[in-house]
């Protein structure tokens, strides 16, 4: 792989990052607040690629004319430049070319860098779902704030899976009371084979994503495959389960009704 090919891959990578950043695609991989940094990084990659291509494709500088014995320069004369290899002090910094004008090629394995570019441009991997939730323990594995403010007005009141699970687990439902709540998450298979409601939470990006899991009682969504997104309405349940991955407690929700919904624009809590 020569420098021109490297520049083209860099240009494609920068374009893919910019494309993901100006659409909602980036929300599958990072938190919403990182969009400005992604756009800036994409622009820097594109600028570096363009500058590299300009440097590699610009016409060669004209050769200097050789002076005669009296100091004059004959027409058509030129200076004989000795062959020096890259890194030779007489040739200045290594430019990636040998003494005969041939470009040095990097290992062919460098072409594998184009795979993530094609992944972003053509495939666009989905957000973390039920498989990731089944491989990781629930994020609510340590004691958190227990003094929760009252729920907002509304019936049912819309809350996140993380907010409900925190109140149910660490506040024992005191701040929820008998209020009806509305939550949106995806279906995953629980340790007992029954469906659970889950939502991934991020600290920064998908690499550190962890699930928040809710057991379901009452009108449990049935007949739906894993990764189906549902909107459920229910009330607090004092039932608790155990996550087999990290042995943390999993709160439950008593479901009164549910409906299947499209994948939300922001798949993470």
């Amino acid at each position: 792989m020569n420098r021109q090919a490297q520049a083209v891959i860099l240009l494609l990578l920068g374009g893919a990052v910019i494309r993901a950043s100006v659409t909602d695609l980036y929300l599958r991989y990072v938190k919403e607040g990182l969009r400005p940094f992604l756009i800036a990084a994409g622009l820097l990659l594109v600028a570096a690629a363009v500058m590299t291509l300009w440097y590699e494709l610009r016409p060669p500088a004209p050769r200097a004319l050789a002076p005669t014995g009296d100091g004059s320069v004959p027409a058509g004369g030129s200076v004989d430049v000795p062959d020096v290899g890259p890194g030779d002090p007489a040739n200045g910094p290594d430019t990636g070319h040998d003494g005969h004008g041939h470009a040095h090629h990097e290992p062919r394995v460098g072409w594998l860098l184009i795979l993530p570019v094609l992944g972003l441009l053509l495939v666009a991997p989905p957000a973390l779902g039920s498989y990731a939730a089944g491989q990781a323990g629930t994020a609510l594995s340590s004691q958190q704030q227990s003094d929760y403010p009252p729920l907002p007005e509304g019936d049912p009141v819309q809350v996140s899976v993380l907010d409900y699970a925190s109140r149910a687990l660490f506040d024992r439902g005191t701040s929820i009371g008998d209020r009806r709540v509305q939550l949106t998450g995806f279906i995953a298979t629980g340790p007992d084979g029954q469906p659970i409601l889950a939502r991934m939470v991020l600290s920064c990006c998908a690499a550190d994503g962890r699930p928040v899991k809710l057991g379901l009682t009452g009108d449990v969504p049935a007949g739906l495959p894993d990764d189906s997104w549902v909107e459920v309405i229910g009330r607090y349940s004092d039932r608790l389960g155990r996550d087999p991955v990290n042995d943390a407690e999993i709160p439950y929700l008593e479901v009164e009704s549910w409906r299947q919904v499209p994948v939300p624009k922001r798949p993470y809590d």
Side-chain angles (χ1 to χ4, degrees), residues 20-159:
S21 303
V22 299
T23 64
D24 295 330
L25 183 61
Y26 80 103
L27 291 173
R28 300 182 184 182
Y29 315 116
V30 298
K31 300 188 72 172
E32 185 174 16
L34 295 179
R35 169 181 268 179
F37 301 99
L38 285 178
I39 294 177
L43 292 175
L44 287 176
L45 290 175
V46 170
V50 170
M51 293 177 63
T52 301
L53 285 174
W54 174 82
Y55 179 81
E56 290 294 317
L57 299 177
R58 64 179 179 173
R63 300 180 65 183
L65 298 178
T68 61
D70 58 1
S72 61
V73 178
S78 63
V79 176
D80 292 331
V81 179
D83 289 339
V84 288
D88 193 306
N91 197 33
D94 183 4
T95 61
H97 296 74
D98 59 21
H100 302 285
H102 300 295
H104 289 289
H105 293 267
E106 301 298 332
R108 292 182 179 179
V109 71
W111 284 105
L112 294 177
L113 293 174
I114 202 171
L115 294 180
V117 176
L118 295 178
L120 279 175
L121 292 176
L122 303 178
V123 181
L128 299 178
S130 60
Y131 177 79
Q135 300 301 307
T138 179
L140 301 180
S141 57
S142 59
Q143 181 66 38
Q144 300 183 11
Q145 174 188 357
S146 59
D147 186 15
Y148 293 92
L151 291 174
E153 297 296 327
D155 183 35
V157 56
Q158 186 172 356
V159 297

